[in-house]
Amino acid sequence: MFKIWSLLSAMLIVIPGWAASKKPLKENPVFAEWTGPYQGVPPFDKIEVDDFQPAIEGAMKKALAEYQAIADNPEAPTFSNTMLPMERISLDLERVMLLFSIWNSNLSNEEIQKVEKDMAPKLAEFEDQVVQNKKLFDRLDTLYKKRTISQWSPEQERLVWDYHQSFVKKGAALNKKQKKRVAEINKRHAELTTQFSQNLLVDENEDHLLITNEKDLKGLPQWLIQSAKQEADKRNKKGWVIGNTRSSMEPFVTYCPNRDLREKAFKIWTARGDNGNKSDNNKVINEILKLRAERSKIMGYDSYAHWQLSDKMAKTPQQAMQLMMKVWKPAIKQVDKDVAAMQKIVDKEKGGFKIAPWDYRFYAEKLRKARYDFDMDSVKPYLQLPNLQAAMFWMAKELYGFEFSKLEDIPVFHPDVTVFKVTKKNKTVGLWYFDPYARQGKRSGAWMNAYRIQHRISGDVLPIVSNNSNFVKAGEGETTKVSWSDAETMFHEFGHALHGLSSNVTYPSLAGTSTARDFVEFPSQIHEDWLSTPEVLKFLTNDEGEVLPQKLVKKLKRAASFNEGFATTEYLASALVDMKLHLIEKPDVNPKNFEKQTLDDLGMPSEIVMRHRMPQFAHIFSGEGYSAGYYSYLWSDVLRHDAFKAFLEAKGPYDKAVAKRFQKNILSVGNTVDPGQAFKNFRGRAPKVKALLQSKGFVR
Ligand SMILES: [Zn+2]
């Protein structure tokens, strides 16, 4: 996931008074053009939090004036007097917003959250002022209508189409009264989505599981015990505190043998945003849904889902639903089989209970051990961060000819961040920033950011990308080791980075990762597949320098699709609920009832709950990036498995010709080509689902 600037992290308790920067705008480092080597780099060493609000407001004001100048141009609209200046305005705005999103995701605090809360409705208002500028849209519309008879390049034609459809999608073609209502809706919507995230944060920060009896730590991994101790110290509590975040709660319910504690933890975790208190999200959700449906109706769509999918690769909700149901059925069948096997373990142990959601992960681990004699933790000593990084670099060279060399003296926002120059045949391709470790104020999970988008509208501009994750940093003198799924995440995010670095287009709006949401995870997901190639596994050594033993590799591969029934079911339950929610034409939803009814109708196994229950489903309620779009991961996954097969059908994962074709047709084209066509250009045909089902072990 990347580029969701409204997603918050860290504490929200009291909002202090706000002091804006006294610097003149020209000297404001957030607002100013970047200077330094490599065509300028982010001025991380100069920024103060007080700079953000004036910079964002200044950037919006400047942009509005510039848009108005385009609109007021007495000359007839042309590509160069309309499209080009609009592209330049976006670049300036994005530069400012990007720096704010970096602080918001990596160094958040109360001040940053205050800026977000103040700015979210203003940004929504700003966007509407641009989209609803009639003279501006008329120019765009004129260009759009003559795009087929013009002498433009295919990329220019696509750019005009892209702007036009996104203006129309946001209501540019509506009448005055409709526009007014849409603007009201958008402003309120922005307030509500910010409210949703901030409510969620309250529950994630404040609720927790306190353990006071040392005996209850039995079975937990050492690192979890350590972090629980630290968490308790931080909160001035005696004992151990399991924080209310996925990275603490999930391992806790996976390893804690005490069933009552598992239940307690699981209930705290799945009740985020649903506690009937001040931070309850249920009413917020209902209002968001109502506004979304109303706005989609005004835009002329049957439902929000129809509106949202109109510019996606899937194109219609039906197409997305069809794919989801194709995978849902074999997934729940697999769950039935796994639950039966787990129940046998419970019965053999004379447990005297039926597997409940808080038991699933715990008994799945037991089943994994019984079936494959394999413990995921046994590979961890071989997953040293520096080795994984070296392996990723090696992969990038082998596939795309990219070479990485570390740079010193480039400003960073935290001492843990490292910067690399990326070259191909000695020519600089771009920069890659890496921020691997968890810290206070950094949002959870892993993501990629495009710090600067590749383009050629003012010289040959180099892309700058970053990868950020939340690995637990090792103590002094030790090497950081990560889990297998963390390693997959590293390759995944690096895939997004390679997508950004491979970009080779003219117009920034169409560059790099600016593709349809249901396509963008494809270039990242496919790179996960290179992690388990023998060439990469050779890089993985333990502290003694021994390579990951073949015996473990074999077990790892045999167990690769284990628990896919669970993972697919919990994910798809969320994706299906997301789509069905947004298909309602006149929503008035009680989230609890809706979840229950929808999941009952789908035949959801009672031993599993949704990966994200509605009151905590930040993907779809913290903003609009993934709303009616959570299916995107599955959609991209189909493309990923089918595309990787193209390598296997040739000489293997490092087949030079296929890699070249992949980079040329998928990684470098950004959004200059329709995503369905781009896939066909690479694969020679439309994508097939079979490779995905095989990878999950659902079919042979
Ligand atoms: Zn991703």
Side-chain angles (χ1 to χ4, degrees):
M1 198 165 69
F2 63 103
K3 252 178 124 177
I4 295 186
W5 79 272
S6 66
L7 233 120
L8 288 164
S9 62
M11 312 284 270
L12 175 100
I13 304 157
V14 195
I15 293 163
W18 173 255
S21 165
K22 301 274 184 309
K23 284 174 207 157
L25 204 49
K26 261 193 303 192
E27 288 161 30
N28 185 320
V30 178
F31 185 82
E33 299 248 11
W34 299 350
T35 56
Y38 305 102
Q39 309 171 342
V41 289
F44 292 129
D45 49 344
K46 299 194 179 78
I47 294 169
E48 289 166 40
V49 175
D50 290 354
D51 296 330
F52 286 114
Q53 186 152 353
I56 296 170
E57 283 175 345
M60 288 195 289
K61 199 172 152 200
K62 177 169 167 271
L64 277 181
E66 287 168 349
Y67 279 121
Q68 198 52 48
I70 303 171
D72 291 341
N73 188 344
E75 286 167 37
T78 62
F79 189 90
S80 54
N81 74 16
T82 304
M83 302 311 298
L84 265 182
M86 285 213 281
E87 282 288 86
R88 294 214 170 89
I89 299 171
S90 312
L91 282 176
D92 282 348
L93 262 174
E94 255 166 53
R95 196 182 58 237
V96 173
M97 287 315 303
L98 164 86
L99 290 172
F100 179 69
S101 89
I102 293 173
W103 253 254
N104 197 17
S105 314
N106 297 284
L107 304 163
S108 182
N109 55 30
E110 290 167 20
E111 282 171 285
I112 286 286
Q113 289 174 24
K114 165 91 169 99
V115 180
E116 191 197 27
K117 209 170 171 181
D118 288 350
M119 288 291 101
K122 287 189 185 169
L123 279 160
E125 212 170 348
F126 162 79
E127 198 181 63
D128 282 326
Q129 278 176 301
V130 177
V131 167
Q132 300 192 355
N133 183 323
K134 186 166 184 315
K135 276 160 87 182
L136 187 64
F137 179 66
D138 284 347
R139 291 179 79 83
L140 195 53
D141 200 39
T142 307
L143 291 175
Y144 177 75
K145 281 174 181 144
K146 66 176 199 188
R147 73 194 188 287
T148 43
I149 50 162
S150 63
Q151 300 289 310
W152 301 332
S153 69
E155 195 182 327
Q156 289 175 320
E157 209 182 300
R158 178 100 177 151
L159 186 73
V160 172
W161 168 85
D162 186 53
Y163 265 80
H164 190 267
Q165 67 87 21
S166 83
F167 267 62
V168 172
K169 194 180 170 199
K170 288 173 187 152
L174 300 174
N175 67 34
K176 257 195 179 154
K177 202 179 136 204
Q178 291 170 319
K179 280 181 180 169
K180 189 170 164 266
R181 181 61 192 144
V182 167
E184 283 165 10
I185 290 176
N186 287 341
K187 205 174 158 200
R188 179 69 188 141
H189 185 271
E191 286 166 2
L192 287 165
T193 50
T194 309
Q195 173 88 60
F196 180 94
S197 331
Q198 300 196 346
N199 281 345
L200 191 55
L201 262 177
V202 172
D203 284 6
E204 291 187 350
N205 283 324
E206 290 179 5
D207 298 344
H208 57 268
L209 178 76
L210 178 66
I211 298 172
T212 46
N213 190 341
E214 197 167 355
K215 273 201 303 212
D216 291 329
L217 301 172
K218 212 189 94 198
L220 299 183
Q222 208 47 45
W223 67 265
L224 185 60
I225 298 174
Q226 270 168 15
S227 88
K229 184 83 214 142
Q230 282 169 11
E231 198 59 40
D233 290 347
K234 245 194 285 175
R235 296 175 195 244
N236 288 323
K237 296 248 157 120
K238 272 215 172 84
W240 297 264
V241 164
I242 303 295
N244 202 11
T245 63
R246 186 175 294 281
S247 53
S248 300
M249 283 296 189
E250 270 189 2
F252 183 80
V253 294
T254 307
Y255 296 109
C256 173
N258 181 333
R259 186 164 193 249
D260 292 339
L261 276 182
R262 278 205 307 271
E263 179 176 354
K264 216 168 149 188
F266 191 83
K267 285 185 171 162
I268 295 172
W269 165 241
T270 49
R272 288 168 300 138
D274 194 19
N275 290 308
N277 53 9
K278 249 170 49 189
S279 51
D280 191 285
N281 267 332
N282 287 295
K283 279 203 181 110
V284 180
I285 291 174
N286 196 29
E287 195 182 342
I288 290 177
L289 290 170
K290 281 183 179 174
L291 292 175
R292 286 178 178 174
E294 184 190 345
R295 192 182 54 193
S296 311
K297 269 269 141 48
I298 299 174
M299 305 286 188
Y301 290 87
D302 289 347
S303 72
Y304 179 83
H306 287 86
W307 174 77
Q308 188 63 297
L309 271 86
S310 60
D311 60 351
K312 301 298 180 292
M313 189 175 166
K315 298 211 161 59
T316 63
Q318 288 72 26
Q319 295 253 43
M321 283 296 292
Q322 220 173 44
L323 171 66
M324 285 193 274
M325 291 313 288
K326 220 181 229 177
V327 184
W328 173 256
K329 282 170 205 152
I332 57 175
K333 226 186 201 168
Q334 185 62 46
V335 167
D336 278 350
K337 281 191 216 158
D338 291 345
V339 167
M342 294 190 299
Q343 191 62 49
K344 267 192 192 148
I345 300 178
V346 175
D347 296 346
K348 214 172 133 192
E349 292 173 354
K350 304 220 184 317
F353 58 86
K354 280 192 71 170
I355 297 275
W358 43 91
D359 302 316
Y360 203 111
R361 289 178 174 84
F362 183 75
Y363 283 94
E365 272 315 296
K366 289 198 170 197
L367 186 60
R368 189 201 305 272
K369 269 179 215 152
R371 257 189 210 164
Y372 303 101
D373 179 30
F374 177 63
D375 176 355
M376 277 315 263
D377 256 5
S378 60
V379 293
K380 197 165 174 169
Y382 300 91
L383 299 172
Q384 305 197 25
L385 193 61
N387 293 347
L388 280 164
Q389 184 178 300
M392 291 192 324
F393 289 170
W394 180 85
M395 169 192 75
K397 170 139 200 267
E398 213 46 32
L399 291 172
Y400 315 119
F402 288 163
E403 291 184 80
F404 290 72
S405 51
K406 194 164 175 218
L407 295 173
E408 308 291 343
D409 304 328
I410 300 285
V412 289
F413 58 79
H414 190 277
D416 282 342
V417 182
T418 46
V419 187
F420 292 80
K421 178 166 84 170
V422 188
T423 55
K424 184 172 181 169
K425 292 182 184 151
N426 293 321
K427 208 175 147 246
T428 306
V429 171
L431 300 181
W432 180 69
Y433 287 55
F434 188 37
D435 178 22
Y437 305 120
R439 78 175 75 85
Q440 186 77 28
K442 188 174 181 177
R443 76 168 162 92
S444 59
W447 63 93
M448 168 267 195
N449 251 155
Y451 285 178
R452 184 170 60 210
I453 290 165
Q454 178 274 332
H455 68 85
R456 286 194 287 269
I457 61 168
S458 41
D460 225 331
V461 171
L462 295 173
I464 304 181
V465 297
S466 88
N467 281 161
N468 304 59
S469 40
N470 275 284
F471 306 137
V472 179
K473 194 179 177 178
E476 248 338 274
E478 283 173 57
T479 313
T480 297
K481 297 171 187 82
V482 303
S483 69
W484 182 257
S485 99
D486 285 341
E488 282 176 338
T489 303
M490 255 180 103
F491 275 67
H492 174 107
E493 297 306 331
F494 194 58
H496 282 308
L498 293 171
H499 191 188
L501 289 166
S502 297
S503 181
N504 182 16
V505 310
T506 306
Y507 300 102
S509 288
L510 302 176
T513 50
S514 313
T515 64
R517 176 68 66 182
D518 51 5
F519 183 82
V520 77
E521 297 299 329
F522 161 37
S524 52
Q525 286 172 344
I526 193 171
H527 286 91
E528 294 172 34
D529 287 334
W530 275 280
L531 171 62
S532 49
T533 59
E535 292 85 344
V536 162
L537 294 175
K538 264 192 244 157
F539 280 82
L540 309 180
T541 55
N542 62 9
D543 284 337
E544 287 72 45
E546 297 153 357
V547 183
L548 180 68
Q550 271 310 309
K551 211 173 78 194
L552 272 183
V553 172
K554 268 194 196 137
K555 284 184 181 176
L556 184 72
K557 291 199 167 170
R558 270 206 318 145
S561 64
F562 176 72
N563 222 18
E564 274 297 332
F566 171 82
T568 308
T569 301
E570 67 154 10
Y571 157 76
L572 269 181
S574 286
L576 285 160
V577 165
D578 164 40
M579 191 59 81
K580 285 179 182 270
L581 256 183
H582 287 111
L583 275 166
I584 308 173
E585 292 186 28
K586 281 195 183 132
D588 187 7
V589 171
N590 172 326
K592 267 194 206 47
N593 296 346
F594 186 85
E595 274 180 11
K596 187 174 182 318
Q597 191 58 53
T598 309
L599 296 175
D600 282 353
D601 293 348
L602 285 165
M604 175 81 167
S606 61
E607 299 82 4
I608 300 182
V609 301
M610 299 163 71
R611 183 171 174 82
H612 311 281
R613 289 196 48 240
M614 286 167 61
Q616 57 231 207
F617 205 164
H619 287 82
I620 68 170
F621 294 122
S622 274
E624 291 191 87
Y626 284 89
S627 36
Y630 197 58
Y631 77 94
S632 299
Y633 292 99
L634 180 72
W635 192 272
S636 291
D637 218 16
V638 171
L639 308 179
R640 163 254 184 114
H641 285 290
D642 197 12
F644 194 68
K645 232 179 163 179
F647 286 89
L648 303 181
E649 285 163 7
K651 284 187 203 129
Y654 297 96
D655 187 294
K656 292 269 188 290
V658 184
K660 202 171 167 187
R661 220 165 67 221
F662 185 70
Q663 192 177 32
K664 179 168 172 267
N665 291 297
I666 304 292
L667 295 183
S668 75
V669 298
N671 192 23
T672 61
V673 181
D674 170 80
Q677 189 57 49
F679 188 90
K680 273 188 203 154
N681 293 346
F682 166 65
R683 196 67 168 107
R685 57 162 175 75
K688 290 182 184 169
V689 190
K690 195 175 170 194
L692 168 97
L693 294 173
Q694 283 171 328
S695 81
K696 293 181 177 295
F698 296 165
V699 299
R700 272 168 210 277

